[in-house]
Amino acid sequence: MKPNDLHKLQARARVLKAMAHPTRLHILNVLAGGECCVCELTEDIDADLSTVSKHLSVLKNAGLVKDEKRGLQVFYTLCCPCILDFMGCVENVLRSNAAQQKNLVS
Amino acid sequence: MKPNDLHKLQARARVLKAMAHPTRLHILNVLAGGECCVCELTEDIDADLSTVSKHLSVLKNAGLVKDEKRGLQVFYTLCCPCILDFMGCVENVLRSNAAQQKNLVS
DNA sequence: TTCCTATTTGGCAGTATAACCAAATAGTGC
DNA sequence: GCACTATTTGGTTATACTGCCAAATAGGAA
């Protein structure tokens, strides 16, 4: 593997890693419906405010979301909505896993 | 967030997490070109054999690859090649990150 | 059986993540 | 300035991941 390739792979892995958490995937889903403030996001996530805030900063550092402060609130927006298109393929993987399981059982 | 949703998100996050490593992304890239045995994969990855093997088992547990033993060798195959289509979007994210950086500097 | 090759597994040390709580910061209005 | 709300940051603990080495397993050949 060339060093140049390694850099590229590391960068990609960082983005994927940022997405690889249930809470963060949920946040991305919600943001797909339009910008949202932290307080709204916190409402339906069963976790401490500070935890949600940290998840948001992970997404932000990966460049997946942008934030904008307006008054007291901070609003987050999805940068590249295409990232959620990928979930269709992830579901394929999960479906074939489920089918596999079924075969093993029967 | 409903418990049902949580399950779905956890399952998706597991798949993403399995992809979220430079070495594993490299393996997936190579496998996109067709099945490959462990020894071939190990050649251009600068890591211990056992490390490569463990990465492969992570991918396998996530349902991203299948393995098949033939003689002494084990051949791995990509289950859902569509997972690599996603990289185009990841590159979008990275490109916009780079642009952002440039703006900050200038 | 014994040896050799290909791969996996177990164990360990170092590093990174995740969640919570408490404290800090930043607007807003009085 | 002070009080109040929204959010972030720091610190701590528990858990998970990564990479290496050494040992185990499995197939093939002598």
Side-chain angles (χ1 to χ4, degrees):
Chain A
M1 182 162 34
K2 298 169 202 150
N4 198 9
D5 292 348
L6 181 62
H7 263 107
K8 202 172 258 182
L9 292 170
Q10 284 172 335
R12 290 176 178 183
R14 265 193 296 274
V15 174
L16 285 164
K17 204 169 184 179
M19 295 178 68
H21 189 287
T23 302
R24 294 198 289 267
L25 282 179
H26 178 66
I27 292 173
L28 293 174
N29 274 333
V30 174
L31 293 183
E35 67 163 21
C36 215
C37 80
V38 182
C39 49
E40 285 175 289
L41 287 168
T42 309
E43 267 177 30
D44 65 336
I45 296 174
D46 185 30
D48 195 78
L49 244 170
S50 68
T51 302
V52 175
S53 175
K54 278 178 186 172
H55 282 307
L56 284 165
S57 86
V58 170
L59 292 172
K60 187 176 144 186
N61 286 329
L64 291 165
V65 303
K66 283 181 299 204
D67 63 339
E68 188 190 332
K69 185 153 198 171
R70 290 207 293 275
L72 273 180
Q73 293 166 313
V74 179
F75 291 87
Y76 280 84
T77 328
L78 209 50
C79 288
C80 299
C82 60
I83 52 162
L84 289 169
D85 298 345
F86 178 50
M87 290 306 135
C89 176
V90 173
E91 283 302 317
N92 272 349
V93 175
L94 294 171
R95 261 193 298 278
S96 66
N97 288 354
Q100 203 66 26
Q101 274 306 106
K102 219 171 186 175
N103 285 343
L104 289 177
V105 172
S106 61
Chain B
M1 183 163 33
K2 298 169 203 152
N4 198 8
D5 292 347
L6 181 62
H7 262 108
K8 201 172 260 183
L9 292 170
Q10 284 173 334
R12 291 176 177 184
R14 265 193 295 274
V15 174
L16 286 165
K17 205 169 184 176
M19 296 178 68
H21 189 286
T23 302
R24 293 196 291 265
L25 282 179
H26 178 66
I27 292 172
L28 293 174
N29 274 332
V30 175
L31 293 183
E35 69 164 21
C36 216
C37 80
V38 182
C39 49
E40 286 176 288
L41 287 168
T42 309
E43 268 178 29
D44 67 336
I45 296 174
D46 185 30
D48 195 81
L49 245 168
S50 68
T51 302
V52 175
S53 176
K54 275 178 188 172
H55 282 307
L56 284 165
S57 86
V58 170
L59 292 172
K60 187 176 147 187
N61 285 330
L64 290 165
V65 304
K66 283 181 298 204
D67 63 339
E68 187 191 333
K69 185 151 198 171
R70 290 208 293 275
L72 272 180
Q73 293 167 313
V74 179
F75 291 87
Y76 279 84
T77 328
L78 208 51
C79 288
C80 298
C82 59
I83 52 163
L84 290 170
D85 299 344
F86 178 50
M87 291 306 136
C89 176
V90 173
E91 284 301 318
N92 272 349
V93 175
L94 293 171
R95 263 193 297 278
S96 66
N97 287 355
Q100 203 66 28
Q101 274 305 107
K102 219 172 186 177
N103 284 342
L104 288 177
V105 171
S106 61

